[in-house]
Amino acid sequence: MPKTTQPQAHTVTTLHSRCIEEGDCWIWQGACDGHGKPQVRHLGKVTYVSRLIRELTDGRRIPTGMVVACKCGTPLCVAPGHTVVTNHQGRADLAKARGAYQGVARQMKMANTKRAQSHISEQVVQAIRNACSSRVAAREFGVSVSHCKAIRRGTARVGTNVFAGLML
Ligand SMILES: [Zn+2]
């Protein structure tokens, strides 16, 4: 006689009991897939925890083609308040926005260090940017042509214009 067992059905409570809370985050303590995404067996099928919690919380299935993205960026966080149902593009945008902000913080730090070492004032930097050519600016302000070119390209003194990239 084959043994029949009822497949385990999870609820938000049973899933939450497998997490530890860190701030508002629910940090999953159970199994993960090969990419470190929390997984659990639910009704005999292996499914993603953040997706399952979202469905249990919302009381409806997530439509095909939609994905659950994490807003807080904490690995292993499955808190329903930290996930959002979106499409692949939306998830990519979220990840990109997080990356961009981290990038800005890094750039600001570097720019501030460079600015402290620089002898050129902020007004001169603006004037060099507004000059009709690097050669003209170099002669007028007594800086090297290559440095003027770097400022005008934005590779030097990016701190003054660091948010421009985010406006795209
Ligand atoms: Zn979280």
Side-chain angles (χ1 to χ4, degrees), residues 16 20 24 30 38 41 45 51 54-55 58 79 93 98 101 103 106 113 115 121 129 132-133 137 146 150 155:
H16 179 253
I20 51 167
D24 292 337
R41 184 169 280 276
K45 266 175 72 180
R51 191 178 180 95
R54 187 80 261 162
E55 289 189 337
D58 295 349
D93 290 346
R98 271 203 303 275
Y101 285 119
R106 212 165 29 237
T113 314
R115 192 153 45 227
S121 77
R129 286 224 176 90
C132 55
S133 81
S146 65
T155 52

Side-chain angles (χ1 to χ4, degrees), residues 9-80:
H10 277 286
T11 63
V12 175
T13 312
T14 64
L15 292 169
H16 179 253
S17 71
R18 293 200 189 182
C19 301
I20 51 167
E21 285 192 36
E22 249 174 48
D24 292 337
C25 290
W26 298 9
I27 312 295
W28 179 249
Q29 303 296 297
C32 292
D33 74 355
H35 301 284
K37 273 189 78 173
Q39 273 188 332
V40 73
R41 184 169 280 276
H42 174 68
L43 297 174
K45 266 175 72 180
V46 173
T47 181
Y48 286 117
V49 179
S50 51
R51 191 178 180 95
L52 179 57
I53 290 186
R54 187 80 261 162
E55 289 189 337
L56 291 168
T57 308
D58 295 349
R60 59 170 179 269
R61 301 285 309 219
I62 292 164
T64 314
M66 299 298 272
V67 295
V68 174
C70 184
K71 288 187 288 186
C72 69
T74 308
L76 300 181
C77 176
V78 295

Side-chain angles (χ1 to χ4, degrees), residues 88-108:
H88 285 281
Q89 186 57 49
R91 182 165 61 183
D93 290 346
L94 270 173
K96 212 169 103 186
R98 271 203 303 275
Y101 285 119
Q102 282 160 11
V104 164
R106 212 165 29 237
Q107 278 184 59
M108 292 287 269

